[in-house]
Amino acid sequence: MALLLLAVPLAVAIRFTFLADERGELERDAMAAVVRVGPDFAAGDPVELPGSRGGVQYAVYDSNGSLRSGEGPSPADATVRQALSGRVAQASSGGELVVAVPISSGERVVGVVRASTSASTVWGRVLWGWAALLGLCLVALFAAVWVARRRARLLSTPLEALARTSLAIADGDLTARAAGSSIKEIDEVARAHNSMVERLARLLERERRFTANASHQLRTPLTGLQLGLESAMADPDADLRTALAEAAQQAHHLDHTIDEVLRLVITDDTAAAPAAAEPVADLLRAAEQRWHGVLARNGRRLDLLWEPETGRLCVPGRTTDQVLDVLLDNAHRHGVGTVTVNLRDLGTALAIDVRDEGSTALDAQAIFQRGTGAGTGIGLALAREMAEAAGARLALSGRAPTRFTLLLPLEEGASSGSPRPSAGG
């Protein structure tokens, strides 16, 4: 559109300019012929016309419009008659450009010099000018197309890459990220896209972890509840009230398990309510009740050691309960021999050691990574996450025999204050 708006006026201007230039040349040639002929030709003097220039033809007419010399129409045409009135006349007729200039003597017109040339010569130059203009327009058009395609590629390439990234994410590759470009607006879209994908990936990871954590933590209590009920149903002499009390206790523990797993999920984005504090001795007795029979069925002992004053100290109840379950389940599945739970007061923190008589070849970091070990690889990683969410720490403090230590910080003034020997730091 820009080329058309520019080229059409230029084409008109080229035509007008070339025609005007040719008429100006003809007028100058006719003026030169007037000077050469002079007014004396009216008295019968011979007429001397200049030589022809590039196809220009000359003719001399008297005051009556009769052709006296040269090549021209006879009788005089309208251009010559117009010049006899005393002014220069220009016209285009019969495929010719014509200029007629009057010859004056005093105040009287005594004749006319007519100069003409073929219009095809002028139109040839006009066509050459138009051809040059067309060539320039084509060059400009190709340059514009090249620039436009280059700019289009600069715009489309990052958008196509963003589309490919979106398709990869739709196919399940949540690690795909949109790359940056040199265009600010597209970079903003890419950053927003990457931020959205990262948030979705975190949400999906949290959902997967919640599913895995819940299935891991609920499996053992549900199995215990099922075994207790089936045992009571199979024994006709069983005390049903006792069986129901144990089932209620297991259900209560299941409720605590669900709450703790949910609390671990929401701590990623919001501040979850801290677990209620409970005396650590009560938690140890409940753990003993849950795991004594499980270990005894495999011919293994469970020993719990603590001092009365230390047992009265309070710790986050549900978190400690769940971490103890994971550590005892780990000792049950992967350990050997007697399982010992030892409670120690370190002054500003409580240490709970869970030890068995087996050993582990994994180092202190790898053992807490998900997917590590012979089992599902979830329990120890989950236990560390729950401990850290409550402000506690869980570490592998011994490899042969295997010993895990849970450090639970105490509020200032909560320690029993009594000096006690401790086996660790």
Side-chain angles (χ1 to χ4, degrees):
M1 184 61 67
L3 287 174
L4 286 176
L5 292 176
L6 179 66
V8 172
L10 279 177
V12 174
I14 287 173
R15 175 183 176 279
F16 176 80
T17 301
F18 281 15
L19 290 175
D21 287 346
E22 186 62 25
R23 288 192 182 99
E25 289 291 332
L26 282 176
E27 186 175 346
R28 284 190 291 273
D29 291 343
M31 290 289 186
V34 168
V35 174
R36 190 179 184 90
V37 171
D40 295 335
F41 87 98
D45 291 348
V47 178
E48 296 182 7
L49 293 174
S52 178
R53 176 193 62 82
V56 178
Q57 296 178 345
Y58 299 97
V60 178
Y61 294 85
D62 60 17
S63 59
N64 295 322
S66 300
L67 178 64
R68 293 287 302 273
S69 179
E71 298 181 5
S74 180
D77 58 10
T79 308
V80 174
R81 291 194 299 269
Q82 188 177 359
L84 287 173
S85 64
R87 57 190 180 86
V88 177
Q90 296 180 352
S92 297
S93 64
E96 289 185 327
L97 296 179
V98 180
V99 176
V101 179
I103 303 173
S104 301
S105 176
E107 298 294 332
R108 187 169 61 92
V109 176
V110 297
V112 173
V113 174
R114 180 181 184 273
S116 64
T117 186
S118 174
S120 61
T121 303
V122 181
W123 276 107
R125 294 201 300 271
V126 171
L127 292 177
W128 276 110
W130 283 356
L133 177 62
L134 178 61
L136 290 175
C137 288
L138 290 177
V139 170
L141 178 62
F142 285 126
V145 169
W146 181 80
V147 172
R149 288 177 64 85
R150 183 177 178 85
R151 296 301 300 176
R153 281 196 299 270
L154 289 176
L155 289 171
S156 63
T157 299
L159 292 177
E160 291 171 355
L162 183 60
R164 289 193 296 270
T165 302
S166 299
L167 290 175
I169 293 169
D171 290 337
D173 183 9
L174 295 180
T175 62
R177 294 293 183 271
S181 66
S182 59
I183 302 173
K184 178 182 176 182
E185 291 78 4
I186 296 180
D187 284 347
E188 291 178 356
V189 175
R191 284 193 294 270
H193 181 273
N194 291 341
S195 177
M196 175 192 67
V197 173
E198 289 173 1
R199 185 168 181 83
L200 287 176
R202 287 197 301 269
L203 291 174
L204 290 175
E205 179 63 21
R206 283 171 52 187
E207 180 179 349
R208 284 195 292 264
R209 287 201 174 193
F210 172 74
T211 303
N213 294 344
S215 63
H216 181 275
Q217 290 299 95
L218 295 177
R219 182 173 57 249
T220 300
L222 282 174
T223 301
L225 178 60
Q226 182 180 4
L227 289 175
L229 292 175
E230 289 176 353
S231 177
M233 292 173 61
D235 186 2
D237 298 328
D239 187 353
L240 295 181
R241 181 176 294 275
T242 302
L244 290 175
E246 291 178 355
Q249 186 177 4
Q250 290 283 357
H252 188 64
H253 182 64
L254 279 173
D255 182 61
H256 285 182
T257 300
I258 294 171
D259 288 343
E260 187 63 19
V261 173
L262 287 174
R263 193 178 72 87
L264 182 62
V265 171
I266 65 175
T267 52
D268 290 343
D269 296 326
T270 58
E278 299 180 32
V280 66
D282 294 345
L283 300 174
L284 294 177
R285 292 190 188 96
E288 181 182 21
Q289 185 175 359
R290 290 192 302 272
W291 288 97
H292 177 77
V294 176
L295 292 168
R297 281 194 291 270
N298 294 333
R300 299 173 62 185
R301 291 180 52 190
L302 173 61
D303 292 336
L304 287 89
L305 307 174
W306 74 86
E307 295 184 7
E309 293 183 2
T310 305
R312 286 193 292 269
L313 297 175
C314 293
V315 294
R318 293 178 181 176
T319 300
T320 306
D321 212 24
Q322 294 300 313
V323 174
L324 279 174
D325 274 353
V326 171
L327 296 179
L328 291 171
D329 181 64
N330 183 74
H332 169 240
R333 293 175 181 275
H334 307 295
V336 295
T338 301
V339 179
T340 303
V341 179
N342 184 29
L343 175 64
R344 296 179 288 119
D345 183 2
L346 304 181
T348 59
L350 285 179
I352 301 178
D353 300 318
V354 178
R355 183 180 73 249
D356 61 69
E357 297 176 357
S359 62
T360 179
L362 298 174
D363 60 40
Q365 294 301 323
I367 200 169
F368 290 104
Q369 294 178 358
R370 286 181 178 258
T372 301
T376 61
I378 297 175
L380 292 175
L382 174 60
R384 171 170 275 190
E385 291 173 7
M386 288 190 294
E388 291 177 350
R393 292 184 61 188
L394 177 62
L396 176 66
S397 54
R399 297 171 62 183
T402 305
R403 182 178 67 180
F404 291 93
T405 299
L406 174 64
L407 292 176
L408 297 162
L410 295 173
E411 296 182 3
E412 190 171 348
S415 177
S416 63
S418 302
R420 300 179 179 86
S422 63

